[in-house]
Amino acid sequence: MGFRKKNKSPPVLSHEFVIQNHADMVSCLAMIILLGLMFEVTAKFAIMFITVQYNVTQVLDEKHDPVNLYQYGPKDVATVFFYLLIAVILHALIQEYILDKMNRRLHLSKTKHSKFNESGQLAAFYLFSFIWGCSILTAEDFATNPTFLWEGYPHTHMVFQVKFFYICQIAYWLHALPELYFQKVRKEDIPRQLYYICLYVVHITGAYVLNLHRLGLVLLVPHYLVELLFHASRLFYFSDENKQKGFTLWALLFVIARLLTLTLSVLTFGFGLPRTENQGFSLAEGNFNVLTIRMTCLAAICLTQAWMMWKFINFQLKKWREHSQNQASKKKTVSPKSKPHKREPTRGGAANGVVKSEDKTSPRARKAKAS
């Protein structure tokens, strides 16, 4: 990992060398791109990586100033690549200066250590994205007019904040793929992380390319809130296993978020887009409002939500079984102490500490013998 003090230097260009110094290498590459702005020959290429491309000036009326809007295009690949490098650097900074210091204090096992790092990185990203997404949505009128999700489709023009939000989202989830190697993620954890990383890349890129950025933004904000609560609860759980109240709230909001996602998706693809004026398929105009694409998008969202609910149900059942086993083990350990056992009579005729005489003569006869 970059920015660390290393006692032993591994061989140059070996796997361990790349893993330990990948953040420094990426920083040098990003610095080279930034230095390209200083020279006229390379500036036109460097600016393609750094700034958002395809701006269009639109004049609403004579009373207002012109508005700068943006479209998407092939040059966005270069912009995504640059901010992917920035994401790798920020990932290393959070790991080095926050998560590693917390791990040293908690003394976690290898399994918990890996999950703690994963939740720490994702919690920081979800928090930042949720706040950013909410700030964008406050400028829209979705709360009072949900029809803005499909009215005026195709939504080929975006304000700067919306386009930059999608560029950063795609860059972050693409950077998560090489981080599986840089962070030495365990083999058994790689398939699980690959699933959700690929789902994020496909869904966010699909909403961006198909000019469904309004719907994508509205669905991402509540989803990120739920995921933020889950990973924050897991961080508290690793610090103290008695802190599990956050998972209960997460379970409730998780189901609500899934229902909200399905409802808005059905409204948009099933009722809104089929009734808009612009029907048809045109790459030049950015119009993808045909039945095949609508049903494909709706099916992809529904299948993803069903898969997430299936994982959620299995997770809850596993927790319930573990809780039941813990309760049963506690009852077994408590039951011998709570029920006192009766003492068995001894061989010498003692019962309950009292020795019974085997002489069956009456008390009067025993007195007579004694006298």
Side-chain angles (χ1 to χ4, degrees):
M1 176 63 66
F3 312 115
R4 294 184 181 179
K5 295 179 180 179
K6 310 169 190 68
N7 296 327
K8 296 181 180 179
S9 56
V12 179
L13 298 182
S14 63
H15 288 289
E16 193 64 28
F17 179 84
V18 173
I19 291 172
Q20 288 186 3
N21 300 279
H22 75 274
D24 300 324
M25 297 177 181
V26 171
S27 300
C28 293
L29 182 57
M31 189 62 65
I32 292 173
I33 296 174
L34 290 173
L35 289 175
L37 295 173
M38 300 176 62
F39 306 98
E40 185 177 356
V41 178
T42 58
K44 59 182 179 180
F45 297 103
I47 199 170
M48 183 175 61
F49 288 88
I50 300 169
T51 62
V52 179
Q53 302 294 310
Y54 302 104
N55 60 316
V56 178
T57 303
Q58 202 173 57
V59 180
L60 300 177
D61 51 45
E62 297 180 355
K63 298 180 180 180
H64 297 83
D65 295 331
V67 179
N68 287 327
L69 300 176
Y70 294 84
Q71 298 174 329
Y72 69 82
K75 293 181 181 179
D76 290 341
V77 176
T79 311
V80 169
F81 174 75
F82 177 77
Y83 287 99
L84 183 152
L85 302 179
I86 301 300
V88 172
I89 297 171
L90 293 176
H91 190 115
L93 289 173
I94 294 173
Q95 184 69 40
E96 173 68 19
Y97 294 104
I98 299 177
L99 297 179
D100 284 350
K101 291 182 179 180
M102 296 175 68
N103 276 318
R104 294 189 194 102
R105 295 180 180 179
L106 296 175
H107 304 289
L108 300 174
S109 61
K110 289 185 178 180
T111 304
K112 290 184 177 181
H113 178 84
S114 176
K115 291 182 178 180
F116 184 87
N117 290 336
E118 179 189 2
S119 291
Q121 295 286 350
L122 290 176
F125 169 73
Y126 288 137
L127 177 62
F128 174 75
S129 299
F130 173 73
I131 295 173
W132 191 4
C134 287
S135 66
I136 297 174
L137 286 180
T138 52
E140 303 289 346
D141 56 348
F142 171 72
T144 58
N145 183 24
T147 58
F148 97 105
L149 292 174
W150 56 82
E151 281 185 349
Y153 184 84
H155 308 134
T156 55
H157 296 96
M158 298 170 278
V159 296
F160 173 80
Q161 288 293 335
V162 173
K163 175 158 185 174
F164 192 50
F165 178 83
Y166 272 92
I167 292 291
C168 292
Q169 293 294 313
I170 297 172
Y172 179 86
W173 290 114
L174 286 176
H175 112 281
L177 294 173
E179 285 294 346
L180 297 177
Y181 170 71
F182 294 145
Q183 295 295 325
K184 293 183 178 180
V185 177
R186 299 185 308 162
K187 292 183 179 180
E188 52 269 26
D189 291 338
I190 290 178
R192 176 182 60 83
Q193 296 191 28
L194 273 178
Y195 286 151
Y196 71 74
I197 291 171
C198 293
L199 284 174
Y200 276 116
V201 172
V202 170
H203 283 74
I204 295 174
T205 306
Y208 183 68
V209 172
L210 297 177
N211 291 316
L212 296 168
H213 50 83
R214 294 183 181 181
L215 177 64
L217 184 62
V218 170
L219 296 183
L220 277 177
V221 170
H223 174 75
Y224 280 169
L225 174 62
V226 175
E227 293 299 308
L228 170 63
L229 181 60
F230 172 76
H231 289 285
S233 300
R234 194 155 73 161
L235 291 175
F236 284 115
Y237 172 77
F238 287 142
S239 62
D240 185 359
E241 293 186 356
N242 295 322
K243 297 179 180 179
Q244 300 187 24
K245 294 182 179 180
F247 290 109
T248 305
L249 180 59
W250 163 75
L252 177 62
L253 293 179
F254 182 90
V255 177
I256 295 175
R258 304 287 73 77
L259 293 175
L260 178 64
T261 300
L262 291 174
T263 302
L264 293 178
S265 300
V266 171
L267 282 175
T268 302
F269 294 110
F271 298 97
L273 290 177
R275 299 180 181 179
T276 58
E277 297 179 357
N278 294 328
Q279 300 287 329
F281 178 82
S282 175
L283 287 175
E285 298 178 359
N287 189 4
F288 303 94
N289 193 7
V290 292
L291 179 62
T292 304
I293 295 179
R294 289 198 305 264
M295 291 300 101
T296 301
C297 294
L298 183 59
I301 294 175
C302 291
L303 289 175
T304 302
Q305 302 307 305
W307 178 77
M308 294 176 67
M309 281 300 301
W310 175 254
K311 300 288 288 184
F312 172 78
I313 292 171
N314 287 335
F315 175 79
Q316 295 297 329
L317 289 176
K318 181 181 178 181
K319 290 295 181 182
W320 178 76
R321 288 169 186 166
E322 292 177 355
H323 180 72
S324 300
Q325 291 176 357
N326 292 335
Q327 293 296 326
S329 61
K330 287 180 180 180
K331 288 181 180 179
K332 289 180 180 179
T333 55
V334 172
S335 58
K337 298 180 181 179
S338 59
K339 294 182 180 180
H341 292 283
K342 293 182 180 180
R343 295 182 181 178
E344 296 180 357
T346 58
R347 293 184 179 180
N352 295 330
V354 179
V355 180
K356 295 182 180 180
S357 175
E358 295 181 356
D359 191 2
K360 297 183 179 179
T361 56
S362 61
R364 292 182 180 179
R366 288 198 293 271
K367 287 181 181 180
K369 286 182 180 181
S371 59

